[in-house]
Amino acid sequence: MQYPAPIAHLIESYMKLPGIGEKTATRLAFYTLDMPDDDVYDFGAALKEVKEKLHRCSICGNITEQDPCIVCTNSERDQSTIMVVEQPKDVMAFEEMGEYSGLYHVLHGVLSPMDGIGPEEINIKSLIVRLQKQDSVKEVILALNSTPEGESTAMYISKLIKPAGIKVTRLAAGLAVGSDIEYANSITLKRAVQGRTSI
C-alpha cells in the first residue's frame, strides 16, 4: 500500500537530512501529522525564515542576518588574527568558549578530491584576497577538524599563506584526531587555542 502523496513527499523531504533513513523519516512524517497545527506552521515558518533571512557574510563567510556580520564589524576584536574554520557551527563553539577575540573565516567545507571538492568549491579564494587587503593580519589560525581532509586542507592553505610572511598556526593538543570541533567542550577548545603551534 502506498502512502498518500503529501505524506510520501514529507518522508522524501525528511530523508534529505543527514543521517535520516526511510524508517526515521516515516516516523518523523507521521509525528508531524499529529502535531498541533500551530506547531507545524511555526516549524514551516522557521524553515522559510532561515532560507530567506540568513546569508553568508561577504567578508568572512559566516552565516548572518546583516552584511558584514557583527564579528567583522566589531572594531574591538583583534584585527591581527583570523581563525579559519570549516563550518559556521565551529564559530559558535569558539564564541561560546569566550577565550578567542579575533576574527574568523569560514570555509564551508574541506578539500576532498574523492568527493569532487577542490579549492574552488570552498571559501579559500576569498581568504587569500582578504589577507591581501587586510595588512593588519599577522596570524592565521587553522582550526580545522583533525581528519585526513582537514589536515590536507590546512597544509594547502598554509602553503598559500606562508609566502606572504603571515604566521600560520594550528590548534594544539586537546582535540583528538578524527573529532569534530563542535562536540569539544570549552576547556578542550581553550587549551587547543592557547597551545596552538606553527606549521
Side-chain angles (χ1 to χ4, degrees):
M1 178 181 169
Q2 289 186 328
Y3 291 120
I7 283 284
H9 184 217
L10 186 56
I11 291 169
E12 288 173 11
S13 297
Y14 276 126
M15 286 175 64
K16 292 176 183 174
L17 297 172
I20 303 292
E22 187 175 355
K23 286 185 179 180
T24 302
T26 302
R27 250 191 334 268
L28 288 171
F30 278 96
Y31 179 82
T32 304
L33 185 64
D34 291 335
M35 287 170 64
D37 289 354
D38 286 348
D39 290 348
V40 174
Y41 297 140
D42 284 346
F43 183 57
L47 290 172
K48 187 177 179 200
E49 187 176 35
V50 161
K51 294 303 286 182
E52 289 178 350
K53 293 189 176 178
L54 291 181
H55 50 273
R56 293 185 184 184
C57 172
S58 59
I59 297 173
C60 72
N62 195 17
I63 53 170
T64 180
E65 287 184 80
Q66 66 181 52
D67 188 26
C69 71
I70 57 171
V71 173
C72 289
T73 55
N74 185 347
S75 59
E76 294 183 9
R77 294 192 75 105
D78 178 5
Q79 304 293 309
S80 69
T81 308
I82 294 178
M83 181 180 287
V84 178
V85 297
E86 291 181 27
Q87 299 293 344
K89 57 191 173 185
D90 298 330
V91 172
M92 295 308 301
F94 282 106
E95 285 299 287
E96 286 173 11
M97 174 186 71
E99 293 290 325
Y100 176 72
S101 61
L103 304 173
Y104 294 97
H105 194 86
V106 184
L107 296 177
H108 292 278
V110 287
L111 298 175
S112 180
M114 296 287 286
D115 299 316
I117 302 172
E120 298 300 319
E121 281 69 47
I122 59 177
N123 199 21
I124 292 177
K125 186 177 181 182
S126 65
L127 172 63
I128 304 308
V129 171
R130 183 179 179 188
L131 293 173
Q132 290 168 346
K133 289 181 179 178
Q134 284 182 262
D135 56 4
S136 60
V137 179
K138 306 300 180 198
E139 179 184 6
V140 171
I141 305 168
L142 298 174
L144 306 179
N145 291 320
S146 299
T147 60
E149 294 81 9
E151 294 295 323
S152 63
T153 305
M155 293 308 296
Y156 179 82
I157 293 173
S158 176
K159 287 177 183 176
L160 292 177
I161 296 173
K162 274 189 173 180
I166 298 171
K167 183 179 180 183
V168 181
T169 58
R170 288 293 312 268
L171 295 184
L175 291 174
V177 173
S179 66
D180 286 345
I181 287 172
E182 65 176 303
Y183 299 118
N185 61 46
S186 60
I187 295 172
T188 300
L189 287 177
K190 180 178 178 179
R191 287 178 181 161
V193 171
Q194 290 176 341
R196 61 188 182 271
T197 54
S198 295
I199 302 181

